[in-house]
Amino acid sequence: MPRSLASCYGNLVQNLDYIARAYGRQGPAQRHARMVRARIENSRMEEIFQTGLHEFIGDFINDNSRLGAAITEQYLM
């Protein structure tokens, strides 16, 4: 599961970079997406199960919400 999530976040980072070039600025959205991608890429299933799958998924959902808010603030307001 972490590899597929990391792949999705890799695409998110790439697309945010395209948007940043079009708008001429980078900001919190790119930083947050890179941070989440790095954390997921460095996650191991054993560690996820030790800390709790439910907690991992909850944190992932919260990170997605924060990313959505950062994108909105950075580009849509």
Side-chain angles (χ1 to χ4, degrees):
M1 180 174 82
R3 287 188 316 209
S4 63
L5 295 177
S7 175
C8 291
Y9 257 83
N11 289 326
L12 270 169
V13 168
Q14 184 178 26
N15 288 320
L16 284 171
D17 287 343
Y18 291 144
I19 294 169
R21 282 192 291 279
Y23 278 77
R25 66 176 188 242
Q26 289 195 20
Q30 284 81 13
R31 286 190 295 276
H32 185 74
R34 287 186 185 109
M35 183 266 311
V36 173
R37 179 188 61 184
R39 192 181 72 226
I40 292 170
E41 285 177 345
N42 294 319
S43 295
R44 297 172 33 112
M45 288 303 295
E46 297 83 20
E47 295 167 354
I48 291 169
F49 284 125
Q50 278 184 334
T51 59
L53 182 58
H54 181 78
E55 289 77 11
F56 177 82
I57 292 172
D59 290 344
F60 182 75
I61 291 169
N62 290 333
D63 281 330
N64 286 331
S65 294
R66 283 192 289 276
L67 179 59
I71 291 168
T72 299
E73 288 180 29
Q74 189 169 326
Y75 294 114
L76 302 177
M77 297 189 134

